[in-house]
Amino acid sequence: MKRKLIAAIGVASMLVSVAACGSGDGDSSSQKPADRKENLTVWLMGEAQSTWPELVKDVNTEFNKKYPGVKVNVQYQQWADKVKKLDTSLGGDKFPDVVELGNTETMQYILNGALGEIDPKKYENSDTWIKGLKDTCTFEGKTYCVPYYASARLAVYNKDMLKAGTGSDALPQTEAEFLAAMDKVDAELGKKDKRASSLYFPGRYWYAAMSYVAAYGGKIATYDEGAKEWKGALSSPESQKGLEHFVNLVKKYNKADQTKDEQDHANVMANEKAAVIYGQAWEAGSVTTGENGNPKLEGKIATAGIPGPEGKALPSFIGGSDLATISKSKVQDLGQEWIALFTNAKGGDVLASKNVLPNNEKQLEPLKTKPETAAIANAVPDAWFTPIAPGWASIEKEEILENLLLEILKGSSVADASKKADDKINALINKKA
């Protein structure tokens, strides 16, 4: 399978380095905790720094009570370049011991042998881990990461912009009413800024596009039990309806560059260039806080379930993050203990207090009735996920889906573009590592 990590260092060298640098080399786990004098490098994404820094601080404090001689170095990463940095680091001798991975990223590192195996029994609430996250950590009966938090995408919106256009700051509950509201907001925004969008859908936002595919009953791929293989399903009538619906929304409502992805859509909203984005709950905080946030919008950004076609809520991708130890690390045992503290029930309570979905069904349940989280928490059971197949771990998957959307935006028929995408998926998805 073609992946950046393999291209950078080669399968053979990767396996040799993993075998040579595993946790058994220079093993100090038998030492008394107070005698350990090592460094533990943890890569977390920026949300932990901007939204729940107290959790990081408290876990480090608790960890150092047991391991006073171990220096924990938490380094915050950005989603845009994390994978590239990680792949490069794994090819050398300076790499993190613990890394946060998006749940669509884990499989490629499991297959590459980059992640250390863990015992779920050592982690609190593992018996009720949310299935969508647990699945992304599991391969051939073994577990290689720990679910960190779950997420589902929903509408993040500017209440003032919505009210200026419609007279109400409550998001409509049906798609017809929602799009009628977006038309009114468009007209109001257009009086001041022709580049501002009522509904900001970037054209290469494949997570959003696949939500519309799921809304019509379509899928990215299906598993053929008879042939024992996966087959692309984007050219099915249901999937084509979803693709067409999404692209039409992009063309009508995105007044900016329609060929972009969603990486900076929270910044677009922070700059008051969008009334509504389709994002994760924590991105509402990113609009007002952090390096690119706009404090002037504090109290003006809200979240709600986004209505989809055919009278139903728009199905959401079950997103989220996992935490793993690197198999080349000589302090995997320390990394596993740090993760256990970070993802225990206390950690879950901190995330829940920030309206972020914890990693387990037990702590998720109260959030289903909390006004601020009900929409997203209730979206988790019916959320869709990408095909759980080894071949889907390839970095090429995003290129296939993004190019599919770009081709339709540029004028290709949905039927032709989706057929081409299915051919590429068929060639990719059944490959073994």
Side-chain angles (χ1 to χ4, degrees), residues 161-429:
M161 286 185 176
L162 184 64
K163 189 172 184 177
T166 67
S168 171
D169 63 4
L171 206 71
Q173 298 297 301
T174 69
E175 188 181 46
E177 293 171 342
F178 172 64
L179 295 182
M182 292 301 95
D183 291 339
K184 293 177 181 178
V185 173
D186 248 353
E188 189 64 28
L189 290 175
K191 296 176 183 178
K192 301 176 182 178
D193 189 348
K194 299 293 185 182
R195 301 293 290 172
S197 306
S198 57
L199 175 60
Y200 181 72
F201 269 146
R204 286 164 48 213
Y205 193 0
W206 67 267
Y207 288 110
M210 295 306 114
S211 286
Y212 282 95
V213 166
Y216 284 101
K219 295 179 182 294
I220 296 173
T222 58
Y223 189 70
D224 186 329
E225 287 287 354
K228 300 298 181 184
E229 65 179 11
W230 290 84
K231 293 182 179 180
L234 290 173
S235 56
S236 71
E238 296 82 5
S239 295
Q240 288 186 48
K241 285 183 181 179
L243 290 168
E244 185 171 19
H245 193 118
F246 171 75
V247 170
N248 286 342
L249 292 176
V250 174
K251 289 180 176 179
K252 182 174 183 180
Y253 293 108
N254 184 342
K255 307 302 182 183
D257 182 354
Q258 296 182 351
T259 66
K260 293 180 66 175
D261 63 23
E262 78 283 6
Q263 291 294 332
D264 70 343
H265 64 174
N267 295 342
V268 173
M269 175 166 275
N271 290 324
E272 299 183 75
K273 297 291 186 180
V276 180
I277 63 173
Y278 183 54
Q280 301 188 62
W282 55 261
E283 290 184 287
S286 298
V287 173
T288 58
T289 62
E291 182 179 352
N292 298 310
N294 184 351
K296 294 179 181 179
L297 297 179
E298 187 69 40
K300 299 180 180 181
I301 305 302
T303 60
I306 190 167
E310 302 192 339
K312 300 178 181 178
L314 185 67
S316 175
F317 171 80
I318 183 165
S321 282
D322 304 314
L323 293 166
T325 57
I326 297 298
S327 59
K328 293 170 66 174
S329 170
K330 296 179 181 179
V331 290
Q332 282 192 72
D333 63 316
L334 295 178
Q336 290 172 7
E337 286 202 48
W338 191 92
I339 293 172
L341 286 172
F342 197 69
T343 59
N344 65 16
K346 289 183 180 178
D349 285 341
V350 172
L351 295 182
S353 73
K354 307 289 185 180
N355 295 331
V356 175
L357 307 187
N359 65 6
N360 63 92
E361 296 281 359
K362 182 179 179 181
Q363 291 182 293
L364 177 69
E365 195 62 30
L367 299 184
K368 293 181 179 179
T369 55
K370 185 178 179 181
E372 299 89 342
T373 56
I376 188 171
N378 285 289
V380 167
D382 296 323
W384 62 272
F385 193 66
T386 51
I388 303 175
W392 192 253
S394 169
I395 60 169
E396 295 173 351
K397 66 181 184 295
E398 294 189 5
E399 297 173 6
I400 292 172
L401 296 178
E402 289 182 353
N403 287 338
L404 160 67
L405 296 172
L406 286 177
E407 285 191 25
I408 300 172
L409 278 168
K410 292 177 180 178
S412 294
S413 72
V414 175
D416 289 344
S418 59
K419 175 61 169 60
K420 184 186 296 185
D422 275 350
D423 290 342
K424 291 178 179 178
I425 287 172
N426 290 337
L428 170 74
I429 200 168

Side-chain angles (χ1 to χ4, degrees), residues 41-82:
T41 299
V42 178
W43 279 17
L44 293 178
M45 304 311 296
E47 295 79 55
Q49 182 180 33
S50 63
T51 313
W52 48 90
E54 70 273 31
L55 174 57
V56 180
K57 180 180 178 181
D58 290 347
V59 167
N60 287 343
T61 299
E62 186 68 21
F63 182 84
N64 282 133
K65 287 180 181 179
K66 182 175 181 180
Y67 297 101
V70 175
K71 181 180 179 181
V72 180
N73 179 21
V74 178
Q75 299 176 359
Y76 296 100
Q77 309 298 320
Q78 300 301 315
W79 289 109
D81 64 354
K82 189 277 303 289

